[in-house]
Amino acid sequence: MKEIPSSPDILVVYGDFINFTPEDLFDYWVKPELVTLWWPKVAEIDPRVGGIYRFSWPEQDWNLFGTFGSFEFGKHLQFTWTWTHSAVTDLPLTVDLYFMPIENGTRLSIFQGPYTNSSVDQGARQGNIEGWVHFGMRLAGLRPGEDV
């Protein structure tokens, strides 16, 4: 995953996932047994527009939750982003994922925001960029169909 320079109110990262079809990669975001291979320890997901997700890291007592606003299988996934352990940003955040087929895989683009110019929001923005790069690399290292 790599950051694409963007305005301070949004972050944009992308990565190429070799050997993942857009549908395979989409599944790794919405099926609990696949999401927990690379991101949270515990995942509850109702995969549909208006459905909710809840991710947990019990050892840190961290919980991330939100609602799906768009659910276009293999193409686009949008969800809200709220942590329960702290008020990390000044505004509610939305994450948009776009899945684009490329030769031998899928390009995933992530847009997250809005962020304000406050130091709290800009710190959260930078932390989210680092998180997407870290967890995106974990996801890219998996092999569809061989993990479960």
PDB file of all heavy atoms in Angstrom, residues 15-21 102-107 140 142-144:
ATOM      1  N   GLY A  15      -3.014  -0.009  -3.288  1.00  0.00           N
ATOM      2  CA  GLY A  15      -2.087  -1.128  -3.354  1.00  0.00           C
ATOM      3  C   GLY A  15      -2.561  -2.124  -4.384  1.00  0.00           C
ATOM      4  O   GLY A  15      -3.757  -2.229  -4.666  1.00  0.00           O
ATOM      5  N   ASP A  16      -1.607  -2.847  -4.965  1.00  0.00           N
ATOM      6  CA  ASP A  16      -1.914  -3.897  -5.930  1.00  0.00           C
ATOM      7  C   ASP A  16      -1.827  -5.244  -5.226  1.00  0.00           C
ATOM      8  O   ASP A  16      -0.827  -5.538  -4.558  1.00  0.00           O
ATOM      9  CB  ASP A  16      -0.947  -3.842  -7.111  1.00  0.00           C
ATOM     10  CG  ASP A  16      -1.140  -2.590  -7.951  1.00  0.00           C
ATOM     11  OD1 ASP A  16      -2.202  -1.940  -7.832  1.00  0.00           O
ATOM     12  OD2 ASP A  16      -0.228  -2.250  -8.721  1.00  0.00           O
ATOM     13  N   PHE A  17      -2.876  -6.027  -5.361  1.00  0.00           N
ATOM     14  CA  PHE A  17      -2.987  -7.320  -4.701  1.00  0.00           C
ATOM     15  C   PHE A  17      -2.941  -8.406  -5.769  1.00  0.00           C
ATOM     16  O   PHE A  17      -3.940  -8.689  -6.436  1.00  0.00           O
ATOM     17  CB  PHE A  17      -4.280  -7.371  -3.879  1.00  0.00           C
ATOM     18  CG  PHE A  17      -4.233  -6.443  -2.703  1.00  0.00           C
ATOM     19  CD1 PHE A  17      -4.444  -5.081  -2.862  1.00  0.00           C
ATOM     20  CD2 PHE A  17      -3.921  -6.924  -1.444  1.00  0.00           C
ATOM     21  CE1 PHE A  17      -4.361  -4.217  -1.785  1.00  0.00           C
ATOM     22  CE2 PHE A  17      -3.829  -6.065  -0.354  1.00  0.00           C
ATOM     23  CZ  PHE A  17      -4.054  -4.710  -0.520  1.00  0.00           C
ATOM     24  N   ILE A  18      -1.758  -8.962  -5.944  1.00  0.00           N
ATOM     25  CA  ILE A  18      -1.515  -9.958  -6.983  1.00  0.00           C
ATOM     26  C   ILE A  18      -2.225 -11.263  -6.594  1.00  0.00           C
ATOM     27  O   ILE A  18      -2.220 -11.667  -5.436  1.00  0.00           O
ATOM     28  CB  ILE A  18       0.000 -10.170  -7.174  1.00  0.00           C
ATOM     29  CG1 ILE A  18       0.688  -8.839  -7.486  1.00  0.00           C
ATOM     30  CG2 ILE A  18       0.287 -11.205  -8.262  1.00  0.00           C
ATOM     31  CD1 ILE A  18       0.093  -8.059  -8.639  1.00  0.00           C
ATOM     32  N   ASN A  19      -2.808 -11.913  -7.584  1.00  0.00           N
ATOM     33  CA  ASN A  19      -3.538 -13.175  -7.449  1.00  0.00           C
ATOM     34  C   ASN A  19      -4.874 -13.039  -6.726  1.00  0.00           C
ATOM     35  O   ASN A  19      -5.501 -14.041  -6.412  1.00  0.00           O
ATOM     36  CB  ASN A  19      -2.685 -14.260  -6.786  1.00  0.00           C
ATOM     37  CG  ASN A  19      -1.468 -14.587  -7.601  1.00  0.00           C
ATOM     38  OD1 ASN A  19      -1.516 -14.612  -8.826  1.00  0.00           O
ATOM     39  ND2 ASN A  19      -0.351 -14.817  -6.936  1.00  0.00           N
ATOM     40  N   PHE A  20      -5.327 -11.842  -6.430  1.00  0.00           N
ATOM     41  CA  PHE A  20      -6.661 -11.615  -5.877  1.00  0.00           C
ATOM     42  C   PHE A  20      -7.551 -11.083  -6.999  1.00  0.00           C
ATOM     43  O   PHE A  20      -7.201 -10.085  -7.632  1.00  0.00           O
ATOM     44  CB  PHE A  20      -6.641 -10.527  -4.794  1.00  0.00           C
ATOM     45  CG  PHE A  20      -6.108 -10.936  -3.459  1.00  0.00           C
ATOM     46  CD1 PHE A  20      -4.741 -10.937  -3.213  1.00  0.00           C
ATOM     47  CD2 PHE A  20      -6.976 -11.277  -2.430  1.00  0.00           C
ATOM     48  CE1 PHE A  20      -4.253 -11.270  -1.962  1.00  0.00           C
ATOM     49  CE2 PHE A  20      -6.486 -11.612  -1.173  1.00  0.00           C
ATOM     50  CZ  PHE A  20      -5.127 -11.613  -0.939  1.00  0.00           C
ATOM     51  N   THR A  21      -8.682 -11.721  -7.237  1.00  0.00           N
ATOM     52  CA  THR A  21      -9.680 -11.099  -8.105  1.00  0.00           C
ATOM     53  C   THR A  21     -10.359 -10.001  -7.289  1.00  0.00           C
ATOM     54  O   THR A  21     -10.293 -10.020  -6.048  1.00  0.00           O
ATOM     55  CB  THR A  21     -10.742 -12.115  -8.569  1.00  0.00           C
ATOM     56  OG1 THR A  21     -11.510 -12.524  -7.430  1.00  0.00           O
ATOM     57  CG2 THR A  21     -10.117 -13.319  -9.274  1.00  0.00           C
ATOM     58  N   ILE A 102      -6.701  -5.536 -12.373  1.00  0.00           N
ATOM     59  CA  ILE A 102      -5.464  -5.249 -13.102  1.00  0.00           C
ATOM     60  C   ILE A 102      -4.909  -6.593 -13.564  1.00  0.00           C
ATOM     61  O   ILE A 102      -5.419  -7.643 -13.166  1.00  0.00           O
ATOM     62  CB  ILE A 102      -4.421  -4.509 -12.217  1.00  0.00           C
ATOM     63  CG1 ILE A 102      -4.094  -5.329 -10.973  1.00  0.00           C
ATOM     64  CG2 ILE A 102      -4.914  -3.114 -11.858  1.00  0.00           C
ATOM     65  CD1 ILE A 102      -2.937  -4.789 -10.144  1.00  0.00           C
ATOM     66  N   GLU A 103      -3.892  -6.559 -14.379  1.00  0.00           N
ATOM     67  CA  GLU A 103      -3.286  -7.810 -14.840  1.00  0.00           C
ATOM     68  C   GLU A 103      -2.785  -8.597 -13.632  1.00  0.00           C
ATOM     69  O   GLU A 103      -2.047  -8.070 -12.790  1.00  0.00           O
ATOM     70  CB  GLU A 103      -2.123  -7.516 -15.795  1.00  0.00           C
ATOM     71  CG  GLU A 103      -1.551  -8.767 -16.416  1.00  0.00           C
ATOM     72  CD  GLU A 103      -0.491  -8.461 -17.457  1.00  0.00           C
ATOM     73  OE1 GLU A 103      -0.406  -7.312 -17.941  1.00  0.00           O
ATOM     74  OE2 GLU A 103       0.266  -9.384 -17.777  1.00  0.00           O
ATOM     75  N   ASN A 104      -3.240  -9.833 -13.488  1.00  0.00           N
ATOM     76  CA  ASN A 104      -2.837 -10.743 -12.410  1.00  0.00           C
ATOM     77  C   ASN A 104      -3.296 -10.324 -11.020  1.00  0.00           C
ATOM     78  O   ASN A 104      -2.705 -10.741 -10.024  1.00  0.00           O
ATOM     79  CB  ASN A 104      -1.324 -10.960 -12.397  1.00  0.00           C
ATOM     80  CG  ASN A 104      -0.824 -11.579 -13.671  1.00  0.00           C
ATOM     81  OD1 ASN A 104      -1.465 -12.468 -14.217  1.00  0.00           O
ATOM     82  ND2 ASN A 104       0.299 -11.096 -14.162  1.00  0.00           N
ATOM     83  N   GLY A 105      -4.322  -9.476 -10.915  1.00  0.00           N
ATOM     84  CA  GLY A 105      -4.754  -9.101  -9.578  1.00  0.00           C
ATOM     85  C   GLY A 105      -5.765  -7.983  -9.544  1.00  0.00           C
ATOM     86  O   GLY A 105      -6.520  -7.758 -10.488  1.00  0.00           O
ATOM     87  N   THR A 106      -5.730  -7.253  -8.429  1.00  0.00           N
ATOM     88  CA  THR A 106      -6.680  -6.175  -8.174  1.00  0.00           C
ATOM     89  C   THR A 106      -5.955  -4.995  -7.549  1.00  0.00           C
ATOM     90  O   THR A 106      -5.117  -5.177  -6.665  1.00  0.00           O
ATOM     91  CB  THR A 106      -7.791  -6.654  -7.211  1.00  0.00           C
ATOM     92  OG1 THR A 106      -8.489  -7.731  -7.829  1.00  0.00           O
ATOM     93  CG2 THR A 106      -8.762  -5.543  -6.872  1.00  0.00           C
ATOM     94  N   ARG A 107      -6.285  -3.801  -7.995  1.00  0.00           N
ATOM     95  CA  ARG A 107      -5.808  -2.576  -7.342  1.00  0.00           C
ATOM     96  C   ARG A 107      -6.899  -2.120  -6.382  1.00  0.00           C
ATOM     97  O   ARG A 107      -8.050  -1.951  -6.765  1.00  0.00           O
ATOM     98  CB  ARG A 107      -5.518  -1.479  -8.353  1.00  0.00           C
ATOM     99  CG  ARG A 107      -5.130  -0.158  -7.653  1.00  0.00           C
ATOM    100  CD  ARG A 107      -4.447   0.794  -8.578  1.00  0.00           C
ATOM    101  NE  ARG A 107      -3.149   0.226  -8.933  1.00  0.00           N
ATOM    102  CZ  ARG A 107      -2.488   0.541 -10.054  1.00  0.00           C
ATOM    103  NH1 ARG A 107      -2.993   1.416 -10.909  1.00  0.00           N
ATOM    104  NH2 ARG A 107      -1.326  -0.023 -10.314  1.00  0.00           N
ATOM    105  N   ALA A 140      -2.039  -8.359   1.639  1.00  0.00           N
ATOM    106  CA  ALA A 140      -1.401  -8.695   0.359  1.00  0.00           C
ATOM    107  C   ALA A 140      -0.592  -9.989   0.456  1.00  0.00           C
ATOM    108  O   ALA A 140      -0.423 -10.691  -0.549  1.00  0.00           O
ATOM    109  CB  ALA A 140      -0.498  -7.556  -0.096  1.00  0.00           C
ATOM    110  N   LEU A 142      -1.483 -12.701   1.950  1.00  0.00           N
ATOM    111  CA  LEU A 142      -2.335 -13.900   2.002  1.00  0.00           C
ATOM    112  C   LEU A 142      -2.540 -14.460   0.598  1.00  0.00           C
ATOM    113  O   LEU A 142      -2.335 -13.771  -0.396  1.00  0.00           O
ATOM    114  CB  LEU A 142      -3.690 -13.538   2.631  1.00  0.00           C
ATOM    115  CG  LEU A 142      -3.625 -13.027   4.060  1.00  0.00           C
ATOM    116  CD1 LEU A 142      -5.020 -12.622   4.523  1.00  0.00           C
ATOM    117  CD2 LEU A 142      -3.036 -14.057   4.999  1.00  0.00           C
ATOM    118  N   ARG A 143      -2.974 -15.713   0.540  1.00  0.00           N
ATOM    119  CA  ARG A 143      -3.242 -16.360  -0.734  1.00  0.00           C
ATOM    120  C   ARG A 143      -4.700 -16.766  -0.778  1.00  0.00           C
ATOM    121  O   ARG A 143      -5.108 -17.649  -0.032  1.00  0.00           O
ATOM    122  CB  ARG A 143      -2.357 -17.588  -0.912  1.00  0.00           C
ATOM    123  CG  ARG A 143      -0.902 -17.258  -0.991  1.00  0.00           C
ATOM    124  CD  ARG A 143      -0.089 -18.551  -1.152  1.00  0.00           C
ATOM    125  NE  ARG A 143       1.320 -18.247  -1.125  1.00  0.00           N
ATOM    126  CZ  ARG A 143       2.047 -18.030  -2.213  1.00  0.00           C
ATOM    127  NH1 ARG A 143       1.495 -18.080  -3.393  1.00  0.00           N
ATOM    128  NH2 ARG A 143       3.334 -17.779  -2.106  1.00  0.00           N
ATOM    129  N   PRO A 144      -5.504 -16.136  -1.649  1.00  0.00           N
ATOM    130  CA  PRO A 144      -6.928 -16.467  -1.720  1.00  0.00           C
ATOM    131  C   PRO A 144      -7.158 -17.955  -1.918  1.00  0.00           C
ATOM    132  O   PRO A 144      -6.473 -18.607  -2.702  1.00  0.00           O
ATOM    133  CB  PRO A 144      -7.429 -15.682  -2.930  1.00  0.00           C
ATOM    134  CG  PRO A 144      -6.432 -14.594  -3.130  1.00  0.00           C
ATOM    135  CD  PRO A 144      -5.113 -15.153  -2.644  1.00  0.00           C
TER     136      PRO A 144
END
